[in-house]
Amino acid sequence: MKTVVCPGSFDPVTNGHLDIIERAAALFDKVIVVVMVNASKTPLFTTEQRVDMLRRSTAHLENVTVDSYDGLLAAYARQQGATVIVKGLRALSDFEYEFQMALTNRQLNEELETVFLTATDDKMYLSSSLVKQVAAYGEDVSKFVPACILQDITEKFGKDG
Ligand code: PNS
């Protein structure tokens, strides 16, 4: 049974993330999507909100679970018995940072492999930051995020934006 971890900030989950999660779910037995709590970033959505949005967005995938973790990804993977990290690669600009993380994670946990799935061409440009920028100006983001989280975004900007 191959368990993989799909980590990220998911602030919020986008259709790009969902595409990678769906493809990971088709390739591996069990996928744990984990919202990593990053003390150096101030997210728009709380960890609980991000987990909830991911749970709703992945409800159709039987072998996917969603969790959160405050710590190092290498330690989390070990704790979960996962030896593979799955990440999406959008463009060359992602590569250097992802390469650095993959090598660091390997140093921290030598059993850990990082597998990169390339984003599909129609989702290459998508990012959570872009979604937040567009939504902050009251524009429609329904092309970019799962339909079930649209209201979370409009409510967030309606209340706080
Ligand atoms: O969606 P993001 O922000 O690109 O995801 C980055 C993330 C959360 C996967 C990365 O920052 C991470 O793994 N953070 C956990 C801390 C950690 O393990 N750092 C050491 C490896 S570089």
Side-chain angles (χ1 to χ4, degrees):
M1 170 120 160
K2 188 58 96 182
T3 300
V4 304
V5 172
C6 201
S9 303
F10 303 108
D11 186 38
V13 58
T14 68
N15 287 338
H17 293 130
L18 192 56
D19 178 51
I20 298 294
I21 296 167
E22 283 172 345
R23 286 158 59 201
L27 285 170
F28 298 100
D29 301 309
K30 185 179 168 198
V31 178
I32 307 174
V33 180
V34 58
V35 174
M36 298 303 292
V37 179
N38 183 345
S40 64
K41 277 191 186 173
T42 310
L44 176 67
F45 292 94
T46 65
T47 304
E48 293 70 28
Q49 287 170 331
R50 287 179 278 157
V51 166
D52 180 55
M53 286 188 284
L54 275 163
R55 287 211 172 114
R56 282 183 273 131
S57 304
T58 59
H60 60 296
L61 301 167
E62 275 181 14
N63 58 338
V64 173
T65 57
V66 183
D67 196 6
S68 63
Y69 189 69
D70 188 355
L72 290 174
L73 180 58
Y76 180 76
R78 190 181 287 118
Q79 200 184 88
Q80 297 298 319
T83 52
V84 177
I85 294 171
V86 175
K87 296 229 60 188
L89 259 195
R90 283 166 304 186
L92 218 54
S93 53
D94 280 348
F95 185 77
E96 197 172 340
Y97 178 59
E98 293 294 345
F99 193 66
Q100 205 178 12
M101 281 201 289
L103 293 179
T104 309
N105 283 325
R106 190 74 176 277
Q107 287 297 321
L108 296 170
N109 176 349
E110 63 183 21
E111 291 172 2
L112 212 46
E113 290 287 358
T114 302
V115 169
F116 293 106
L117 298 180
T118 49
T120 47
D121 51 1
D122 58 329
K123 298 187 181 72
M124 289 287 274
Y125 63 93
L126 259 182
S127 72
S128 299
S129 317
L130 177 146
V131 168
K132 286 182 278 193
Q133 273 178 37
V134 174
Y137 287 99
E139 286 292 332
D140 177 26
V141 291
S142 56
K143 280 185 188 159
F144 309 138
V145 299
C148 63
I149 74 152
L150 254 184
Q151 200 177 338
D152 302 66
I153 296 176
T154 34
E155 275 174 13
K156 179 66 82 174
F157 284 100
K159 262 189 253 153
D160 309 329

